[in-house]
Amino acid sequence: MSVFEHRSFDGHEHLAFCHDKPSGLKAIIAIHNTHLGHALGGCRMFDYRCEDEAINDVLRLSRGMTYKSAAANLPLGGGKSVILGNPRQYKTEELLRAMGRFIDSLGGRYVAAEDSGISEADMRIMGQETSHVAGFSSQPGERGDPSPATAYGVFIGLKAAVEQRYKSSDLKGLRVAVQGVGSVGYRLAEMLAGEGAELWVSDVYAESAEQAAAELGATVVEPDQIFSSPVDVIAPCALGATVDDTVLSQLTAGVIAGSANNQLAYDDLGAALKARDILYAPDYVINSGGIIDVYYQRQGLPYARAHKHITQTVTETLQEIFQRSTSTGEATNVIADQVARRRFEPDTSAIDCVA
Ligand code: NAD
């Protein structure tokens, strides 16, 4: 298999295949672009069906991080890592420490944070082997997990999208379906319920969905029914590539706004959504709250600074994208890429990064 010819290869700077025999670790670290700064991005552990699926994921996710940091006006590049294997079965301290050593070997070109399948506690274990890890608290009282900041960014981004599409940001009575009520999805559901939205939820772990039903009055639907729920907004907060042709034919919602990375199964779906008058809030813009928070944490700055940055950047960038999409007729995901590229490409990066 050729990586340089891979369908998801996009001029990535660095791809490291990591194997540690004693712990059984198999992982891939991808650094997409470091024009704006060192690469920062999550470390995911997932039971990939095959190696190609993992390579595809890490190539797409690391590229997404370059665009996300640029769109968020952060002086950071894009990277991501994936550990191959079911986290519930194969995650051990030995394996996490081995991953920490591989991250360390890159000398700070890549800084890892938590992602699906990797917890704050896991990051703390990696942190025993390297300082190039972020997004976890090392002492009681310190903030760490970026999920609350991500959820907040998705919440205000969802409101901006609702305002654009339905001409009102009042969530009272708005019907929202949340796919995946994990670290981000559950918090988003709480905020939506707090402003009077009606919720539909699904999760492959039935207990999580049932908790949302019990605590937030959500209607639980089967995972394969969530996109056809009779709602105004869909919030994909599980894994990527969930919006595909089948989903497109089922949708009744006018807005897609959620936290998952790489929500569209392929890029042209953005145009298909626009043709159906479904407003898509580009994933890496709306879910950038977490990376913004992690950036401020590493600078030793308080959450209030991150919160202000999230509030301003997520809302303003989405509004710019929506307006340009309306005026040019181009899909929102295409416009988002243009906005991000304008910020990270070396010759044109006349940008307003935070200092
Ligand atoms: P998580 O693992 O805590 O939650 C994901 C939830 O989705 C889990 O409860 C899981 O059971 C459920 N799920 C998986 N497949 C599903 C399916 N087919 N149908 C319904 N539910 C399903 O992860 P998270 O941290 O909440 O992240 C959610 C998404 O947001 C991921 O795509 C992640 O990459 C992205 N994201 C997270 C952050 C963050 O700060 N945590 C930041 C940016 C992007």
Side-chain angles (χ1 to χ4, degrees):
M1 177 200 320
S2 165
V3 171
F4 293 122
E5 303 299 320
H6 195 281
R7 62 192 180 286
S8 298
F9 182 77
D10 177 50
H12 288 68
E13 291 177 12
H14 194 147
L15 207 62
F17 289 78
C18 315
H19 178 225
D20 177 67
K21 203 169 173 186
S23 65
L25 172 76
K26 283 187 183 164
I28 311 171
I29 302 172
I31 297 174
H32 175 248
N33 185 293
T34 55
H35 287 157
L36 291 178
H38 67 259
L40 175 61
C43 174
R44 169 175 292 188
M45 184 162 186
F46 186 69
D47 193 10
Y48 294 101
R49 280 170 302 185
C50 61
E51 216 170 277
D52 181 63
E53 196 181 30
I55 293 171
N56 194 44
D57 212 25
V58 80
L59 289 173
R60 276 164 56 98
L61 291 168
S62 57
R63 177 181 183 275
M65 290 309 296
T66 301
Y67 282 73
K68 182 188 301 198
S69 287
N73 277 325
L74 291 171
L76 294 171
K80 203 87 179 186
S81 54
V82 294
I83 300 176
L84 288 72
N86 185 335
R88 289 171 187 246
Q89 229 176 324
Y90 297 111
K91 197 162 60 183
T92 60
E93 177 169 350
E94 215 187 348
L95 178 140
L96 292 166
R97 277 179 169 271
M99 187 64 188
R101 288 192 295 276
F102 278 117
I103 292 166
D104 199 60
S105 72
L106 297 178
R109 270 173 57 72
Y110 167 65
V111 175
E114 81 174 274
D115 200 280
S116 263
I118 293 290
S119 67
E120 257 196 271
D122 300 334
M123 293 310 300
R124 228 172 272 128
I125 294 172
M126 287 186 212
Q128 290 173 27
E129 302 286 345
T130 179
S131 59
H132 305 306
V133 282
F136 62 93
S137 54
S138 41
Q139 297 170 37
E142 237 179 45
R143 73 184 199 277
D145 178 10
S147 303
T150 303
Y152 170 67
V154 174
F155 177 64
I156 58 166
L158 185 150
K159 283 177 90 166
V162 166
E163 180 151 30
Q164 173 76 21
R165 177 64 176 75
Y166 296 119
K167 309 298 171 218
S168 163
S169 59
D170 186 0
L171 300 185
K172 202 161 174 37
L174 192 82
R175 300 164 305 164
V176 184
V178 182
Q179 182 195 39
V181 275
S183 304
V184 178
Y186 200 90
R187 289 180 169 95
L188 172 67
E190 284 177 323
M191 287 185 261
L192 291 167
E195 291 210 5
E198 285 178 41
L199 297 175
W200 276 249
V201 298
S202 72
D203 202 291
V204 287
Y205 291 109
E207 314 87 80
S208 306
E210 276 151 23
Q211 190 184 345
E215 293 182 358
L216 308 173
T219 302
V220 177
V221 292
E222 290 301 315
D224 62 351
Q225 303 289 309
I226 192 76
F227 286 108
S228 53
S229 304
V231 294
D232 307 300
V233 179
I234 292 276
C237 297
L239 292 175
T242 47
V243 180
D244 58 16
D245 289 316
T246 309
V247 162
L248 182 64
S249 66
Q250 295 170 348
L251 284 176
T252 58
V255 168
I256 299 179
S259 73
N261 287 307
N262 297 323
Q263 288 169 31
L264 305 185
Y266 59 93
D267 285 347
D268 288 348
L269 267 176
L273 288 168
K274 185 165 176 61
R276 290 234 358 236
D277 201 17
I278 298 168
L279 182 64
Y280 168 61
D283 44 20
Y284 63 79
V285 180
I286 194 169
N287 73 13
S288 62
I291 190 103
I292 294 171
D293 186 31
V294 169
Y295 172 78
Y296 280 88
Q297 285 184 40
R298 276 183 73 78
Q299 303 299 309
L301 294 167
Y303 179 68
R305 291 280 301 274
H307 187 271
K308 190 173 168 211
H309 188 136
I310 296 167
T311 307
Q312 194 173 342
T313 301
V314 171
T315 308
E316 284 177 5
T317 305
L318 283 176
Q319 283 168 347
E320 179 188 346
I321 291 167
F322 295 153
Q323 281 157 16
R324 282 180 53 187
S325 173
T326 304
S327 61
T328 64
E330 284 186 285
T332 53
N333 58 320
V334 173
I335 302 282
D337 285 0
Q338 291 167 3
V339 169
R341 270 199 301 272
R342 189 182 75 212
R343 296 177 182 177
F344 77 77
E345 282 183 348
D347 297 336
T348 53
S349 59
I351 56 162
D352 38 351
C353 277
V354 292

